[in-house]
Every structure is written in structure tokens, then in C-alpha cells.
Amino acid sequence: QVQLVESGGGLVQPGGSLRLSCAASGSIFSINAMGWYRQVLGKQRELVAVITSGGSTNYADSVKGRFTISRDNAKNTVYLQMNSLKPEDTAVYYCTAELLSYGSGPSDYWGQGTRVTVSS
């Protein structure tokens, strides 16, 4: 069984920073892409950033230059450094991983979500 556990959310003032972490654990053979999505109540979940096993990254236009995604393959962990936060970044942030587990084909897994609130 595979689990993704996020941490690092919270309340921050506009212009501040937060760092989210997501650790994957369980019967993992290999992990391809890892990423972050976010969702505001009543809206669709949207891609924030994604990183491949080789380190290639892609960002939503709204976060380019402010957010940085990185990963530690040895720890099966992905990070999202969020700087210059704006009130419109307020959302629940979800970690996702496309991975191959023992005894199963490639699948997408999701974390439980961590709330980020940007407010003064």
C-alpha cells in the first residue's frame, strides 16, 4: 500500500513564504512524476507544479517566479517552496505521484491535502 503524506501548510501573511513537503511511502518500486495541485472550494483542482524523475519542471503561469518545486529521490519526497505569497494562493494543496508499486501497474496517488491560507 502506498501513502502520500503532506506537511507544511498554514497561515501566512501576504508576501510571506511557506514550504510544503510530501513524502511517499509503502511498496514503491519507482516514482516517475511528482507534483502539486491546489483547489479552492467550488472550483476545479488546478496544477501548480510538476517535476519528473529527471528533474524537469513545469509550473502554472500564476506561480512562475514565485514557487519552486524540488524532490529528493532518495527520500521519495517532493517539496514546494512558495515565496511572495498572495491571497489568491489560498487553497488546499494536494501532492500527487505517478508511481509503480510492487505487484501493481503504474498509478497516480494523492495525498490528503494541506491547507494554505494567505491573509493579513
Side-chain angles (χ1 to χ4, degrees):
Q1 192 171 359
V2 175
Q3 281 190 319
L4 271 62
V5 178
E6 300 123 332
S7 61
L11 173 64
V12 64
Q13 292 187 341
S17 298
L18 279 176
R19 189 192 194 209
L20 305 183
S21 299
C22 172
S25 63
S27 301
I28 299 170
F29 178 73
S30 64
I31 302 179
N32 186 13
M34 302 185 81
W36 293 92
Y37 283 71
R38 65 187 181 188
Q39 188 169 24
V40 176
L41 189 64
K43 295 188 177 181
Q44 284 190 330
R45 193 172 294 189
E46 64 174 5
L47 173 70
V48 176
V50 63
I51 184 168
T52 67
S53 58
S56 296
T57 59
N58 191 34
Y59 296 91
D61 288 342
S62 58
V63 306
K64 282 180 181 176
R66 300 188 297 123
F67 290 11
T68 302
I69 189 170
S70 61
R71 63 190 282 176
D72 184 333
N73 291 330
K75 296 181 179 179
N76 290 339
T77 299
V78 63
Y79 306 96
L80 185 68
Q81 177 66 44
M82 305 185 293
N83 299 328
S84 302
L85 282 161
K86 304 176 181 179
E88 50 263 44
D89 294 317
T90 296
V92 177
Y93 284 70
Y94 295 91
C95 167
T96 184
E98 178 189 286
L99 61 86
L100 186 63
S101 61
Y102 290 100
S104 178
S107 298
D108 293 332
Y109 292 83
W110 293 84
Q112 80 285 356
T114 185
R115 182 172 299 277
V116 172
T117 302
V118 184
S119 175
S120 56

